[in-house]
Amino acid sequence: MSPASSSSAVIAVPSEPIGILTEAWRNVVGTGRLNLALRADYRDSLALVQSEIGFRHIRGHGLLSDDLGVHRPYDAAGHRGTRYSFTYVDQVLDCYLELGIRPFLELGFMPSGLASGEQTVFWWEGNVTPPADYAEWAALIRALLRHLISRYGIDEVRTWPIEVWNEPNLVHFWQDADREEYFRLYEASVLAVKDVDAELTVGGPAISPGADEWWGPFADFVSRRDLPADFLSFHAYTSGPSETVPFGVYQTLRHPSDLLGQFARPAELLAGTRLEGLPLHVTEFNTSYRPDNPVHDTAYNAAALAPVLAGGGDHVDSFAYWTFCDVFEEENIPTAIFHGGFGMLTHRQIKKPTFHLYAFMARMGPEILARGQDHLVTRHPDGRIAVLAWQSVGGTDDPEEPAEHRLSLSLPMTSPAGSVYARRSDVDGERGNAFTAWQRLGRPASPTRRQEEALREAAEPVRSHSSLPIADGRVRLDVTLQRHGIALIELDAVIDETPPWLDDRRILGRAGR
């Protein structure tokens, strides 16, 4: 069915579950560099995300970069050596754990005092050259992990996956994208990790999309050297080349199903190798890979990612939305509150449509009753039904989505009650959409307090409720979505406790006269 089509027939949802909704969609979320966790607005944003969504792990760059100050070589007053400082690392990790989220540690970037060159990436200048001394790099890894174990306990740190570097297949992130040099880094890193504790979990290679040619050599290298690999990691995006404009970009987009294809690809390529069957972690994914693409701020982004959240757990163990908030500075400090940032939240915690997609997912039940191209139906242990519905959308080369999308479901409701209470939340191009409100306000770069209040109000989903009859153990649910719409509908069986003497027709004194 094309994106321009709407469902017409009633879909009969079975009463027995067809599967279990995995936690893959919420197991990891991405963040800007870890140093940002020292900021109050970042912590406020993460607290909001955790209260309404509740991610399990968080992954970001810069654990070993200079702005966290871990690696501190010295040569003064006749003393020479290296001191390890964990002052900021402890504050960052304490923040995460206090908010109920664990780190997914990424080993990078290179401390300048250990780097073999001066090449950097991003406005904040993360060094992306190999270590000048691999023995010193290994010593740094061991010192870091021993400190973390001392502070947080071995049982806790064993739950933190450890990833070696970020996108070494790209010259921006690894000098010359030198595969053999990355393999050398991987070997030194994983051996250092296991030297501290054999049960710590470590893996890689954290490659970007379009790097399938890395999987075979990586599997061969790990097998030939008999190296640890507890999981495999990679990234997935659907955007094409960037067309740059001042303080932003436009990009073409592939069909959202391309993301699920990317999720499935490594398992296909590694079949028959020693790495077959290992846990797979998508440690970054989104539509666009740019932190200044306005698509991230739109309802389209939420509708495009809805089927990915619904089905991604079929292929991988986690897939980390990149990122949870717009406190993010890879392309310098943002110049406007809406600037195409990766985040589910803008600065000052204004919710974007994609935030609501994740908040809706957090309210789904564990039993999957049905899953289609525009819906996910789940059941809670107490019998409540939760439906996530969305308009199927396409990419740049697909037909433009229509103004409306209709879906009809026949839902099982085994209850002696005669009706259900249906509570609905809607987000689309108009509703639950602060970006649209911001456009109508004239796109103020730094909103006034009154404008910010208007944006917060516009960002909330439109909520409605109704009563639906149960007939022969089933409920008919008809859903109409507006363009790029997503909706959460929750159905609770109603036990009517109305006393016989009450007559609501008499409230205004017009009945019984």
Side-chain angles (χ1 to χ4, degrees), residues 173-425:
F173 290 103
W174 184 240
Q175 185 174 280
D176 301 324
D178 189 326
R179 191 165 64 198
E180 296 306 315
E181 193 69 33
Y182 172 75
F183 290 169
R184 187 180 178 193
L185 181 81
Y186 182 85
E187 180 169 17
S189 302
V190 298
L191 293 179
V193 169
K194 296 296 187 178
D195 186 50
V196 173
D197 182 79
E199 294 186 43
L200 291 174
T201 303
V202 64
I207 54 177
S208 72
D212 286 352
E213 73 278 4
W214 272 61
W215 286 117
F218 181 70
D220 292 342
F221 175 76
V222 169
S223 300
R224 185 173 68 253
R225 302 287 292 175
D226 194 25
L227 295 174
D230 299 313
F231 65 84
L232 303 172
S233 63
F234 60 101
H235 300 164
Y237 294 95
T238 60
S239 51
S242 300
E243 179 186 341
T244 302
V245 295
F247 305 105
V249 301
Y250 296 111
Q251 295 172 284
T252 57
L253 295 168
R254 297 187 296 279
H255 194 280
S257 62
D258 186 77
L259 279 171
L260 294 175
Q262 292 181 56
F263 287 9
R265 187 70 173 147
E268 298 168 359
L269 294 172
L270 294 169
T273 73
R274 190 196 122 188
L275 304 184
E276 182 178 10
L278 287 180
L280 295 168
H281 297 296
V282 182
T283 49
E284 293 182 23
F285 92 98
N286 208 318
T287 47
S288 167
Y289 60 78
R290 290 284 307 196
D292 50 3
N293 185 330
V295 71
H296 297 133
D297 300 331
T298 66
Y300 169 91
N301 210 67
L305 297 183
V308 179
L309 267 62
D314 291 348
H315 306 291
V316 294
D317 296 88
S318 75
F319 44 107
Y321 185 79
W322 194 253
T323 59
F324 80 87
C325 79
D326 278 352
V327 183
F328 188 94
E329 299 174 349
E330 289 182 359
E331 295 294 320
N332 211 319
I333 297 167
T335 60
I337 192 162
F338 281 100
H339 58 273
F342 286 123
M344 302 177 187
L345 300 170
T346 71
H347 288 79
R348 300 182 182 273
Q349 300 84 53
I350 295 173
K351 300 170 183 176
K352 301 183 189 181
T354 301
F355 176 94
H356 296 303
L357 170 65
Y358 273 86
F360 291 174
M361 281 292 293
R363 298 179 70 91
M364 302 300 283
E367 295 182 348
I368 300 175
L369 297 183
R371 187 171 66 194
Q373 65 173 3
D374 57 2
H375 64 276
L376 173 67
V377 181
T378 66
R379 183 167 57 201
H380 290 270
D382 62 3
R384 289 178 293 134
I385 300 290
V387 177
L388 178 66
W390 60 88
Q391 181 186 49
S392 296
V393 300
T396 301
D397 296 331
D398 295 301
E400 184 175 357
E401 295 77 25
E404 288 187 349
H405 176 74
R406 292 185 175 87
L407 168 69
S408 295
L409 300 171
S410 171
L411 302 166
M413 184 63 71
T414 54
S415 169
S419 65
V420 298
Y421 177 77
R423 179 171 49 164
R424 176 168 170 169
S425 301

Side-chain angles (χ1 to χ4, degrees), residues 155-170:
D155 291 338
E156 175 63 32
V157 178
R158 283 174 177 167
T159 68
W160 303 355
I162 303 167
E163 183 181 41
V164 181
W165 211 253
N166 174 77
E167 297 189 349
N169 62 295
L170 297 180

Side-chain angles (χ1 to χ4, degrees), residues 27 35 80 103 143 150 154-155 176 217 239 275 335 408 415 436 443 486 502 506:
N27 276 341
N35 173 277
R80 184 178 183 181
S150 174
I154 185 62
D155 291 338
D176 301 324
S239 51
L275 304 184
T335 60
S408 295
S415 169
T436 300
R443 303 178 191 251
I486 61 171
L502 293 183
R506 299 176 62 187

